[in-house]
Amino acid sequence: MPLHVPPAPAPALRSVLTALGSPTAVREARTPSLRTAEGPTVPELPLPLHVLERITPTGVPRTRLAGWRFLIRCQDRAVAAAETRLTADGWVFSHFFEGPYIDSTERALRQAESTELPVQARLLSVPGLYMLTLWLHGDPESDGTGGHPAPTDVLIPLAPAPPGIAAHRPHSVAELLPALTHRVTPAPLLGSPA
C-alpha cells in the first residue's frame, strides 16, 4: 500500500490516551457516541492537521501545522476523533468531537489506498470556506509537520464540502487551488484600488 501515515509525536498520543482514560474528560466531551461506547476506545490513524493560512500572490499556498487528529475506534468503527495542539509546553490534548468528518475521513482514506504513487496522508483545513480535505502529500518520508501543498499533491474534500465543490472527488492542488483562491480572496470594494 503506497499510503503512508506519519507517526504522531509521542506526547500527542500520550495526551489523547490520558484524556480517554479520564472519566471527567470523556463525560464532559460533547460526543454522545464516545460517552456511550461499549468496550475499549483506541486512538488510531494520527493525521497531522495543517491550516491553509493564505495563498501568496504567486499562487503558493502557505500552511502551518495546527495539531494532530486521531480517530477514536471502538470495536469495529470510529466513534469520535481527538485533537491535540502544540503549546509552549509541548503537545496537549485539545478536545474530542464527532460528526460527519469522522466517516468522511475514513472514506477518503479508503479512496487514497488505491493511489499508485507513494503519498503521505494529512489533513488540510481551509477555514475561510469551512472546508476540510484529506491531503495526499507527495513526500511519504516527511515527518508530517512541514511542507506546503505541491501542485501535484492531491486534495480530497471531505463531506460536507462547500457548495460547488464535490466531496470525495480527488483534485490536484494545481486544479483545486484556483477555485479556492477565488473563493477565499475577498473581492475589492467598489471604488477601492485593486
Side-chain angles (χ1 to χ4, degrees):
M1 172 176 78
L3 181 64
H4 298 272
V5 176
L13 176 58
R14 277 194 305 273
S15 72
V16 171
L17 290 169
T18 300
L20 282 170
S22 165
T24 304
V26 172
R27 186 173 51 252
E28 291 178 4
R30 295 183 178 163
T31 57
S33 59
L34 186 59
R35 285 195 309 267
T36 60
E38 294 183 18
T41 52
V42 180
E44 291 184 348
L45 293 169
L47 296 172
L49 174 62
H50 293 259
V51 174
L52 179 67
E53 291 193 313
R54 67 186 179 96
I55 300 170
T56 67
T58 58
V60 177
R62 295 289 176 208
T63 63
R64 68 174 169 79
L65 179 66
W68 284 79
R69 181 174 291 179
F70 297 77
L71 292 180
I72 306 299
R73 188 165 300 283
C74 180
Q75 297 178 11
D76 62 343
R77 66 183 194 96
V79 295
E83 270 191 27
T84 62
R85 60 184 172 86
L86 188 59
T87 68
D89 295 325
W91 289 100
V92 298
F93 171 75
S94 176
H95 62 282
F96 292 116
F97 67 94
E98 63 182 64
Y101 285 135
I102 308 299
D103 291 335
S104 189
T105 299
E106 286 191 302
R107 178 178 170 188
L109 285 165
R110 282 192 303 273
Q111 280 181 268
E113 288 176 346
S114 66
T115 60
E116 295 176 11
L117 299 173
V119 293
Q120 183 183 85
R122 301 174 172 197
L123 294 171
L124 179 64
S125 172
V126 185
L129 297 177
Y130 301 100
M131 180 178 176
L132 186 63
T133 69
L134 180 64
W135 169 15
L136 303 179
H137 187 53
D139 181 4
E141 302 306 318
S142 166
D143 65 3
T145 62
H148 301 290
T152 56
D153 285 355
V154 174
L155 300 175
I156 302 174
L158 301 182
I165 297 176
H168 296 285
R169 182 179 173 269
H171 301 269
S172 70
V173 168
E175 174 191 355
L176 189 57
L177 191 63
L180 298 182
T181 303
H182 175 69
R183 289 174 172 221
V184 172
T185 306
L189 296 173
L190 291 177
S192 65

